[in-house]
Amino acid sequence: MLFIPYRAKNPPERYPYVTLGLLVANILIFAATSHYFLFVRESVVKDFAISHNEWSFLRLLTSMFLHGDLMHLVGNMLFLWIFGASVEGRLRPLKFTGVYLLAGLAGTFLEDIVIGYMHPDRYGLGASGAIMGLAGAYLYMFPFSTIRIFVASRFKVGIVEWHAQWVILMYAGFDLLNGFLFGGMDGIAHFAHLGGCGIGLGAVLALRAKRDSEDFSEAQAMRSDVHGDYSILAYHELEALMEHPAEDVRLVLAYCNKALRQIDGTGGGKCLNALRRNERLLMEKADPETLAVLALNVPAEAGLLEPIFYLRLASRVEAAGAYETAARLYQRIAEVAPANSEAEMALFRLARLYEQTSPDRAQAAKIYGEMLRRFPHGSMAVQARAALQRMGMPVPQIVFSPGHAPAAPAASAATSPETRSPATSVSAASSPGTDDLAAVGQPSVLAPSTAHADD
């Protein structure tokens, strides 16, 4: 009966550089130490393999990169790829390499203790102990991962899918049974496999590695089947994948888009939390305009992102030429944090955007005036007054500023600048124009074809 696992439907969290490096190294070493790429040369075994009578640390290491024949190499490399890529993605390269080497060494020690004393002249070689160490680590971290298996027997020929835990436990069980039945006489180092598997399992337990749930593993299998096209996945599958976001900006954006469409009203808060958790990743790798539209679509009742996030994003969107979206972001900052320093910068950038993109500069003057009303002594006040003078607009006379009583309180000034709504504040500013701030960002005003904004 043939029982050959050949694919894990569990995409690695990061590119498996070390796993690929080990694959290439083992193949090249076999090519250099074999007869016509078929079986290892006897001289190589005597010089670099390990036995109870020929024991050294150097041989411990070199024997892990030797293989007896082509089938030995193919089997080990297949298991290395199936289990190694995901383990490396979860542990990162340094810990992964440590687990691999430690499992290989421990497996060789156990094989020597159990079998070596009885057959002191028998040489051992191969990466099986180290690779079974990765299988042991996989058993703990990805027990519900789907493994595709080719099966051929007198009753069935085809493909089946098992959870990884049953595949690994089956092979460990065979090693335990055959190890005691044959005592190494079948030419397979069963106890090296068992020792490596145990060390790999113990290592990830000691490292407190994350363990995937069954829901997450099923979502991973679906993700593998659709080749990473998150738009095809259902909301509950994306939600499961968000248990361990692997710095994949496409996953976060797809999750937020589907969360915002949920009719139960809970998606807005979940999207907001996802944006907060992945703020750095999104700012570095997401398309600025796509991210901006998504952030603006989060309902206000769900909560708000930090003003500095909106400000940085607006700057990137403006630099990319998406002026209408940038204007909406600047306006959002002025609304959600009217007294913060970010609001001063947002109003200044918004006014400058209107000044540079709109033929009607009255709107820009109005926003400069609102900025001066809110922040008469702010860091951008001098630039705002200079802009008004440059446009030939009157600089508003500030009659009230934080920390100073108004010279002559008027009925319309009963509400302080800090508590007025942004729309009311702008219409009360002593600057040209009568439209309130809610009008900022209308497509008819910000025409990209006439725009020329600097960053």
Side-chain angles (χ1 to χ4, degrees):
M1 176 178 177
L2 283 176
F3 186 89
I4 306 175
Y6 68 92
R7 178 189 172 199
K9 296 168 72 172
N10 184 30
E13 296 173 9
R14 294 167 186 83
Y15 194 79
Y17 292 103
V18 177
T19 301
L20 288 172
L22 289 170
L23 277 164
V24 172
N26 277 281
I27 292 170
L28 291 178
I29 290 172
F30 183 72
T33 58
S34 63
H35 283 292
Y36 306 108
F37 210 74
L38 294 176
F39 53 88
V40 67
R41 296 197 300 270
E42 185 177 351
S43 60
V44 173
V45 174
K46 291 181 178 179
D47 291 339
F48 298 102
I50 193 165
S51 70
H52 184 73
N53 288 337
E54 296 284 349
W55 185 269
S56 69
F57 182 74
L58 178 61
R59 284 179 178 265
L60 273 174
L61 288 176
T62 56
S63 65
M64 290 171 56
F65 291 90
L66 299 177
H67 290 86
D69 54 41
L70 180 59
M71 292 306 298
H72 187 199
L73 174 72
V74 170
N76 275 353
M77 294 305 99
L78 178 61
F79 272 62
L80 174 59
W81 177 248
I82 291 174
F83 299 119
S86 295
V87 173
E88 180 185 348
R90 180 64 53 86
L91 294 182
R92 306 291 180 90
L94 185 60
K95 292 179 181 177
F96 170 82
T97 304
V99 170
Y100 181 87
L101 294 175
L102 183 62
L105 297 176
T108 303
F109 271 114
L110 183 62
E111 182 72 17
D112 185 68
I113 291 171
V114 178
I115 302 297
Y117 281 102
M118 296 185 293
H119 306 282
D121 294 323
R122 181 179 297 170
Y123 287 99
L125 71 170
S128 304
I131 293 168
M132 280 300 291
L134 301 182
Y138 199 101
L139 174 63
Y140 174 76
M141 294 189 292
F142 313 105
F144 305 106
S145 168
T146 299
I147 306 295
R148 301 202 80 182
I149 305 158
F150 174 75
V151 177
S153 70
R154 50 185 301 194
F155 304 106
K156 178 178 180 178
V157 176
I159 305 299
V160 297
E161 293 186 347
W162 286 13
H163 281 165
Q165 58 186 346
W166 305 125
V167 176
I168 297 168
L169 288 173
M170 185 195 72
Y171 275 101
F174 281 150
D175 279 320
L176 186 62
L177 177 63
N178 292 329
F180 284 109
L181 283 178
F182 298 106
M185 298 304 294
D186 59 351
I188 300 175
H190 296 291
F191 291 101
H193 297 175
L194 292 169
C197 186
I199 289 296
L201 176 60
V204 292
L205 284 169
L207 293 170
R208 298 182 180 180
K210 290 187 294 187
R211 194 169 197 242
D212 288 352
S213 67
E214 187 170 2
D215 288 342
F216 180 85
S217 296
E218 289 178 357
Q220 280 281 73
M222 182 60 69
R223 172 191 168 196
S224 177
D225 285 338
V226 301
H227 306 290
D229 186 353
Y230 293 113
S231 65
I232 298 177
L233 300 184
Y235 172 64
H236 72 275
E237 292 168 334
L238 293 170
E239 192 167 36
L241 290 176
M242 288 297 291
E243 289 179 19
H244 307 305
E247 296 192 1
D248 190 337
V249 67
R250 296 176 302 122
L251 169 60
V252 179
L253 294 177
Y255 170 72
C256 275
N257 275 315
K258 292 206 173 180
L260 292 174
R261 299 187 194 131
Q262 299 307 299
I263 60 175
D264 60 3
T266 63
K270 292 179 178 179
C271 173
L272 183 67
N273 289 334
L275 294 177
R276 286 171 174 167
R277 289 198 310 269
N278 298 277
E279 182 177 314
R280 177 192 58 80
L281 169 71
L282 293 168
M283 192 63 72
E284 290 178 357
K285 298 184 178 180
D287 173 70
E289 189 170 8
T290 300
L291 178 58
V293 171
L294 190 63
L296 289 166
N297 283 338
V298 175
E301 58 268 21
L304 298 164
L305 295 162
E306 291 296 321
I308 189 64
F309 177 85
Y310 293 112
L311 187 60
R312 290 172 178 168
L313 183 56
S315 179
R316 292 187 61 200
V317 169
E318 182 183 346
Y323 303 125
E324 296 170 21
T325 305
R328 291 176 60 198
L329 285 167
Y330 289 135
Q331 182 178 336
R332 174 67 64 91
I333 300 166
E335 292 171 350
V336 303
N340 284 16
S341 59
E342 288 87 356
E344 179 190 12
M345 179 59 71
L347 287 170
F348 180 80
R349 297 293 296 267
L350 182 59
R352 192 184 67 169
L353 187 59
Y354 267 91
E355 181 185 352
Q356 295 175 337
T357 61
S358 174
D360 180 10
R361 295 189 172 185
Q363 189 72 287
K366 178 178 113 174
I367 301 169
Y368 280 129
E370 168 64 5
M371 192 205 86
L372 289 170
R373 187 192 66 78
R374 291 194 198 182
F375 307 97
H377 308 296
S379 60
M380 308 303 297
V382 173
Q383 291 93 321
R385 291 188 178 95
L388 288 170
Q389 292 175 349
R390 182 176 64 250
M391 291 189 296
M393 299 290 185
V395 177
Q397 180 67 35
I398 305 300
V399 295
F400 179 86
S401 61
H404 297 81
S412 61
T415 306
S416 69
E418 288 76 14
T419 58
R420 291 176 182 166
S421 69
T424 304
S425 298
V426 175
S427 60
S430 299
S431 56
T434 57
D435 296 334
D436 60 24
L437 189 57
V440 173
Q442 297 302 317
S444 60
V445 177
L446 290 178
S449 59
T450 61
H452 179 72
D454 63 344
D455 187 18

